[in-house]
C-alpha cells in the first residue's frame, strides 16, 4: 500500500465505524478511536461523534493531559453505556494512559492477549507514524 496516498480522515472514520460495529454488536465493551493529534481531533471529531451516535452508542473525549503537549495524542472513547465510560475513568485514576500500556484496560477493551495478533492501532501507527 502506498502510504502517501492513504487518506487519514477516511481511515480514521472507517476505524471508528468498525469499532462502533464491534461495540454495538456486543463484541467489545469499550473501544478507543485511533490516537489523534489535537488538530486531527478538531478536524474529525464532529463526524466521528455522529457515527457513534448513529450506532446508538455513547462517547467521551480523552485528552491525555499528562502526556507532553508536543507528543500528546487524544481519542474518543466509544461505549454502549455510560457505566462503561465510568469504569474506564476509574481505571484511569489508578493507571497511566492506554498510550503507555493497554494492559490495565484489556478486559474493558475486550482484548484477549493470548489470542491477539495485534490491535488496530498497529496498522494505524504504521500508516500515520506522526
Amino acid at each position: 500500500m502506498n502510504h502517501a496516498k492513504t487518506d487519514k480522515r477516511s481511515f480514521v472514520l472507517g476505524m471508528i465505524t468498525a469499532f462502533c460495529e464491534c461495540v454495538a454488536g456486543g463484541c467489545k465493551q469499550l473501544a478507543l478511536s485511533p490516537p489523534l493529534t489535537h488538530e486531527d481531533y478538531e478536524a474529525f471529531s464532529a463526524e466521528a461523534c455522529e457515527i457513534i451516535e448513529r450506532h446508538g452508542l455513547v462517547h467521551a473525549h480523552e485528552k491525555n493531559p499528562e502526556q507532553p503537549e508536543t507528543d500528546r495524542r487524544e481519542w474518543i472513547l466509544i461505549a454502549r453505556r455510560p457505566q462503561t465510560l465510568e469504569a474506564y475513568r476509574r481505571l484511569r485514576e489508578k493507571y497511566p494512559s492506554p498510550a503507555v500500556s493497554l494492559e490495565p484496560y484489556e478486559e474493558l477493551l475486550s482484548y484477549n492477549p493470548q489470542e491477539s495478533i495485534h490491535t488496530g492501532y498497529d496498522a494505524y501507527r504504521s500508516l500515520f507514524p506522526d
Side-chain angles (χ1 to χ4, degrees):
M1 175 184 283
N2 183 344
H3 300 319
K5 293 185 180 184
T6 302
D7 173 35
K8 191 174 193 179
R9 180 186 155 282
S10 296
F11 194 91
V12 166
L13 295 177
M15 282 184 74
I16 288 171
T17 300
F19 289 147
C20 285
E21 291 176 9
C22 291
V23 172
C27 299
K28 292 179 72 60
Q29 295 178 65
L30 176 75
L32 308 176
S33 74
L36 304 167
T37 64
H38 181 72
E39 294 77 21
D40 287 343
Y41 175 81
E42 291 293 320
F44 308 145
S45 64
E47 284 180 278
C49 291
E50 285 179 24
I51 291 167
I52 295 165
E53 291 167 8
R54 276 196 305 253
H55 280 83
L57 304 172
V58 296
H59 54 84
H61 180 198
E62 174 70 79
K63 295 182 182 181
N64 292 302
E66 73 279 10
Q67 294 178 338
E69 192 171 339
T70 55
D71 295 326
R72 184 174 301 150
R73 295 296 177 264
E74 305 176 18
W75 51 73
I76 302 167
L77 303 161
I78 304 165
R80 274 179 277 155
R81 299 176 186 88
Q83 297 89 330
T84 306
L85 296 177
E86 291 304 318
Y88 173 84
R89 289 182 183 115
R90 284 191 301 275
L91 286 173
R92 280 291 272 132
E93 290 174 1
K94 295 177 5 182
Y95 299 103
S97 168
V100 175
S101 172
L102 289 173
E103 189 173 348
Y105 306 93
E106 286 174 345
E107 184 177 343
L108 197 56
L109 291 166
S110 306
Y111 285 164
N112 180 343
Q114 293 77 29
E115 297 292 323
S116 297
I117 298 171
H118 56 78
T119 69
Y121 299 109
D122 297 321
Y124 177 82
R125 287 184 183 117
S126 71
L127 287 170
F128 308 105
D130 289 330

